[in-house]
Amino acid sequence: MRAAVVSDIHGNLHALEAVLAAIEEDVPDEIWCLGDLVGYGPRPNRCCTIVAGRASLSLVGNHDLGVLGRLDLAEFSHEAAESARWTAEVLEDEPRRYLESLEPSAVHANVGLYHGSPRDPVWEYVLSPEVALASLLQANEPIVMVGHSHVPLALAFGEGRLDGGLAPAGTELELDPERRWLLNPGSVGQPRDGDPRAAYLLLDLAAHRASFRRAAYPVERTQAEIRERGLPEALADRLEHGV
Ligand code: ZN
């Protein structure tokens, strides 16, 4: 099984299209999505339709739940809440039904998949070694994948030791089956690790390998769409800096 794993697309159609074009060269068996298809970005309907058609499995994220009215937007930042309200207004029936059908966690091909973390699949960010370790201890699967933080990560735990951290573009891992692994593919539509290119991960379960990849996309097209729709300027600005 070879899977391409994407997360946190956030309505950024041009980033999603660039990732799908790059993935095509690797011909994965399946595409998995770890949630947050919408929120922040200007093309929520199209992103949902593409994921619904292409992904074998998708999770729902906190932004998706906010747009569906299942999370209180008072818990969101000002810009996140404003874009969630806009998204809720423009979201069409079919994308809405698709998002409503999704769960924030799943086990698939013996891999644990969580939007946030195993302890709290909706809200918890895995950004520290302590939370990464707690996540691995909470889950049962040898490989645990999370999204939500928009930062690509790879950590390994075994024999009482936790190693790893940020996983920049080009990181290639041999997934030692004697250890437990926590992987975050990074974000397609709003990367926050200083690299503005869209992030994704290729996971080869038979060969025990993971490759962290990035795809360049026309950031200025997404920025123009954000401005046309009157979404907060900061949401356009941050995309070119990858923060
Ligand atoms: Zn997100």
Side-chain angles (χ1 to χ4, degrees), residues 54-205:
R54 296 288 302 274
S56 311
L57 179 146
S58 180
L59 305 180
V60 71
N62 56 309
H63 286 259
D64 305 317
L65 292 168
V67 166
L68 294 175
R70 293 198 193 161
L71 282 184
D72 186 352
L73 294 180
E75 300 204 32
F76 284 60
S77 72
H78 176 72
E79 278 138 14
E82 197 176 325
S83 63
R85 277 189 285 272
W86 174 84
T87 305
E89 272 170 35
V90 301
L91 195 67
E92 293 163 5
D93 288 349
E94 209 162 304
R96 174 179 294 277
R97 276 197 296 273
Y98 179 64
L99 292 177
E100 282 172 343
S101 74
L102 306 177
E103 298 291 332
S105 67
V107 176
H108 186 68
N110 202 29
V111 177
L113 305 169
Y114 305 88
H115 178 67
S117 79
R119 278 200 302 211
D120 181 347
V122 174
W123 274 117
E124 187 175 43
Y125 291 92
V126 183
L127 279 168
S128 68
E130 293 75 24
V131 178
L133 183 58
S135 297
L136 284 168
L137 297 176
Q138 174 94 21
N140 296 314
E141 300 76 31
I143 300 173
V144 172
M145 304 205 67
V146 300
H148 189 44
S149 72
H150 301 205
V151 175
L153 290 178
L155 292 116
F157 179 66
E159 293 176 346
R161 217 180 67 233
L162 185 72
D163 303 308
L166 291 177
T171 300
E172 298 280 336
L173 294 177
E174 184 100 36
L175 302 175
D176 177 357
E178 299 295 312
R179 310 188 78 188
R180 309 267 319 281
W181 291 87
L182 185 133
L183 307 173
N184 185 327
S187 168
V188 170
Q190 194 196 75
R192 294 180 190 163
D193 62 341
D195 182 343
R197 295 175 295 170
Y200 65 103
L201 175 75
L202 290 172
L203 182 66
D204 188 329
L205 291 173

Side-chain angles (χ1 to χ4, degrees), residues 7-10 12 15 19 40 149-152 185-200 213-215 217 219 235 237-243:
S7 191
D8 297 277
I9 297 162
H10 284 294
N12 187 337
V19 165
Y40 295 133
S149 72
H150 301 205
V151 175
S187 168
V188 170
Q190 194 196 75
R192 294 180 190 163
D193 62 341
D195 182 343
R197 295 175 295 170
Y200 65 103
R213 304 279 180 88
R214 302 303 273 257
Y217 74 95
V219 174
L235 297 177
D237 193 45
R238 67 189 300 175
L239 292 180
E240 72 190 66
H241 305 292
V243 294

